Amino acid sequence: MNLNNNSNLTLEIQEKTNPEIQNANNANNDSTPNTKFGADYFSALPSLFQHITLPFNSEDERLIVMLSSLTVLSSVLPEVYGNYDRKKLYTNLYLYILGKASSGKGNAIWSKLLLKPLQEQLNGMEDLIKKLGKTGINLSQLLDGKELIQQQKLVIPANNSAAGFVELLSNNNGKGLMFETEGDTVANTLKSDYGNYSDMLRKAFHHETISQYRKGDGKLIEFESPKLSVLITSTPNQLYHLIPDPENGLFSRFMFYQTTPVEHFIDVFGNDENVDLDTIFRQAGEQFLDIHNQINEQNGVKFSFSTEQKQQFQTFFNYAKSTLTQFIDQDLDASVNRMGVIFFRVAMIFSVIRHTESGKLASSIVCSNTDFDNTKKLIEHLLSVLSKVFQDFPNKELNSLPTSKINLFKALPETFTTNEAVKLGKEYGVMERTLKNFLKMPCFEKIKHGEYKKVVK
């Protein structure tokens, strides 16, 4: 295991940010651009993740399924924790999948099926509690109020008021999953007067106390150490509506994954017609239900790195932080810091599932070298995606502008003439008079008469 060689991170960042390298790579390997995770990587994962990624053919599809499943499962793992920066850290992850329409980001929806057997078990327990309650028997007390009974609804809708969000999270004992396939739904909700719970999302990432006073009924809702996971998929433009600036605190809390555009029409009959994804994910959900119940019986599992892994972790992030802040932007400092939190959480999920599958789950577990290496490779890639997403943000002068102008700005080449801008502007609904005023903004620089360049990509 050689973790001191961090050249892979530098290469990935160069590939993500240098168009010449991207074009050369795509020219050399048109069929599978940006391939970095071979079959060996997925075959080294815990069997649950092998099972759900195997039916998918492309690297993009497999990574989307793996990342979304990690995020979904992170919301329901009971009392799995580790000490990180002198605090208790639980498994919860925030994931944002970006891609154009029909680019494959929709495969994230399969991961939601992993929760179905657990939700059915919870529903059955709820019905049983109600029936026994009529006879005077309090099943919750008989079972010492285990988490299995307390958490009734696993998914919290994003289209919600701030009060409703807090109440649902409180009813779940501070735990839940926000799963939204349209980024604009979250963006519009957070922009509304009644639905701005952005600060709660930021606090929940670090398990900080969330509280809200409801003036109507004089009720104070407060819970310590919230355990919330978030999964959002959207187009890039929807991301900019939700997080208009990478300096926004939400940006640094997310893992970002960006799909590779699919230029050809997908062969919808080319896959094995005997493969039933509903059944595969239902079976995986049953497998996870068994894992969940075994962990629940432990009444807490403490996770840690080995001494060597801690040293490797420190070396890796020292290098990552200096590379991204020096060669990309100082504003990535917070994102790199929180990627350390994400690394620890991903390794924790891989490890506890592998230990449970092997029948070696104990109240205290140490990360295997295999899970550490797999996590490191994944985080290397996510850091390079992060740098690309960061650089693709429209500059601050555009943030308050209509979508049509933001789209036009992105579509314009680095240098262009007034006539070219007028012609392209018509395609985006920006009329000539409006466009000429637009060209006077600080995000453009006039090179000479009738010719401009963009100041920020």
Side-chain angles (χ1 to χ4, degrees):
M1 179 174 63
N2 180 12
L3 298 180
N4 292 317
N5 182 0
N6 294 300
S7 60
N8 289 340
L9 177 60
T10 304
L11 289 173
E12 282 220 35
I13 292 173
Q14 289 175 341
E15 290 170 2
K16 292 288 182 183
T17 57
N18 189 321
E20 292 183 5
I21 295 177
Q22 290 178 9
N23 293 337
N25 286 344
N26 292 342
N28 293 332
N29 194 5
D30 289 333
S31 60
T32 55
N34 301 323
T35 300
K36 301 182 189 305
F37 295 80
D40 288 347
Y41 179 85
F42 293 99
S43 64
L45 297 174
S47 65
L48 174 67
F49 292 98
Q50 293 181 43
H51 183 64
I52 58 179
T53 56
L54 185 61
F56 297 90
N57 296 321
S58 73
E59 176 186 293
D60 245 3
E61 291 174 328
R62 286 185 168 191
L63 286 173
I64 288 170
V65 168
M66 184 186 73
L67 286 166
S68 57
S69 297
L70 276 166
T71 305
V72 166
L73 298 183
S74 77
S75 69
V76 291
L77 284 169
E79 287 304 309
V80 179
Y81 69 95
N83 290 331
Y84 186 96
D85 194 21
R86 296 167 294 178
K87 300 173 186 174
K88 261 190 177 182
L89 193 67
Y90 297 89
T91 56
N92 304 86
L93 295 169
Y94 287 17
L95 171 65
Y96 206 121
I97 301 176
L98 289 162
K100 296 180 180 178
S102 302
S103 64
K105 63 182 184 295
N107 283 307
I109 198 69
W110 294 111
S111 63
K112 201 174 180 181
L113 292 178
L114 296 173
L115 298 182
K116 193 171 182 180
L118 177 57
Q119 185 66 70
E120 289 173 353
Q121 176 176 277
L122 295 173
N123 293 342
M125 291 295 291
E126 185 177 6
D127 291 341
L128 179 59
I129 291 169
K130 289 178 181 177
K131 290 177 182 178
L132 291 176
K134 293 178 181 179
T135 68
I137 299 174
N138 190 326
L139 186 60
S140 180
Q141 289 181 355
L142 291 176
L143 296 180
D144 298 323
K146 281 187 181 294
E147 174 190 345
L148 187 63
I149 296 171
Q150 294 172 351
Q151 187 174 349
Q152 298 301 324
K153 302 298 178 186
L154 302 178
V155 181
I156 298 174
N159 189 4
N160 209 334
S161 66
F165 177 83
V166 171
E167 186 166 355
L168 286 173
L169 202 56
S170 178
N171 292 343
N172 283 356
N173 198 28
K175 301 177 182 181
L177 168 70
M178 179 189 291
F179 193 113
E180 182 52 61
T181 56
E182 292 294 338
D184 275 349
T185 299
V186 186
N188 292 335
T189 301
L190 295 185
K191 287 178 180 177
S192 66
D193 292 335
Y194 68 88
N196 189 2
Y197 49 83
S198 174
D199 63 320
M200 300 178 198
L201 295 181
R202 294 195 295 271
K203 288 179 179 178
F205 182 85
H206 290 292
H207 313 304
E208 297 172 10
T209 300
I210 292 177
S211 60
Q212 186 182 65
Y213 177 73
R214 296 197 314 205
K215 187 176 180 180
D217 56 11
K219 184 178 180 182
L220 176 66
I221 298 178
E222 184 176 78
F223 44 92
E224 297 179 357
S225 193
K227 301 175 184 69
L228 177 70
S229 299
V230 180
L231 195 160
I232 302 172
T233 71
S234 82
T235 64
N237 285 335
Q238 288 176 320
L239 166 65
Y240 307 144
H241 295 163
L242 174 60
I243 306 176
D245 191 296
E247 293 180 12
N248 179 294
L250 275 180
F251 179 82
S252 61
R253 286 162 168 81
F254 277 93
M255 301 181 287
F256 286 95
Y257 185 77
Q258 198 161 24
T259 62
T260 304
V262 179
E263 304 297 339
H264 59 277
F265 185 82
I266 297 173
D267 184 359
V268 295
F269 304 109
N271 295 320
D272 187 347
E273 294 183 6
N274 295 320
V275 173
D276 182 349
L277 291 175
D278 283 283
T279 300
I280 288 171
F281 277 84
R282 173 73 192 209
Q283 290 172 345
E286 295 286 353
Q287 182 184 350
F288 175 72
L289 177 60
D290 181 61
I291 291 171
H292 175 277
N293 291 343
Q294 287 185 56
I295 298 171
N296 202 44
E297 291 173 2
Q298 279 286 344
N299 291 319
V301 176
K302 184 178 180 180
F303 166 84
S304 63
F305 286 150
S306 68
T307 301
E308 181 189 1
Q309 289 166 356
K310 290 176 183 177
Q311 294 170 349
Q312 307 285 11
F313 178 90
Q314 191 68 32
T315 300
F316 173 74
F317 276 100
N318 281 338
Y319 182 84
K321 190 166 185 173
S322 63
T323 300
L324 269 77
T325 56
Q326 289 181 33
F327 294 102
I328 306 298
D329 198 293
Q330 284 286 344
D331 287 342
L332 282 169
D333 181 81
S335 291
V336 178
N337 289 342
R338 291 192 171 111
M339 195 62 78
V341 173
I342 291 167
F343 187 120
F344 192 75
R345 285 171 166 164
V346 171
M348 187 160 27
I349 297 168
F350 281 154
S351 289
V352 73
I353 289 179
R354 189 183 299 276
H355 276 75
T356 309
E357 290 175 346
S358 65
K360 297 179 180 179
L361 183 65
S363 59
S364 181
I365 61 174
V366 177
C367 187
S368 71
N369 287 340
T370 299
D371 289 322
F372 190 91
D373 289 347
N374 285 341
T375 303
K376 175 181 174 288
K377 184 174 179 64
L378 179 64
I379 296 301
E380 279 182 338
H381 186 59
L382 292 178
L383 282 168
S384 70
V385 175
L386 172 70
S387 66
K388 175 66 166 58
V389 173
F390 178 90
Q391 291 190 315
D392 280 347
F393 262 82
N395 62 320
K396 295 177 183 178
E397 288 82 2
L398 296 175
N399 288 341
S400 60
L401 293 176
T403 302
S404 58
K405 289 185 178 178
I406 294 175
N407 290 340
L408 172 59
F409 179 86
K410 294 185 69 177
L412 285 166
E414 294 304 302
T415 59
F416 56 90
T417 64
T418 304
N419 290 337
E420 289 172 336
V422 169
K423 183 178 179 181
L424 195 58
K426 290 179 181 179
E427 297 180 19
Y428 287 89
V430 180
M431 296 298 100
E432 183 172 351
R433 182 175 178 180
T434 303
L435 181 131
K436 289 184 177 179
N437 288 328
F438 183 37
L439 293 178
K440 297 176 183 178
M441 289 188 65
C443 51
F444 298 105
E445 179 182 330
K446 189 173 183 180
I447 302 173
K448 59 184 180 181
H449 180 70
E451 190 171 343
Y452 296 82
K453 73 174 181 178
K454 294 195 291 186
V455 175
V456 180
K457 291 183 181 181

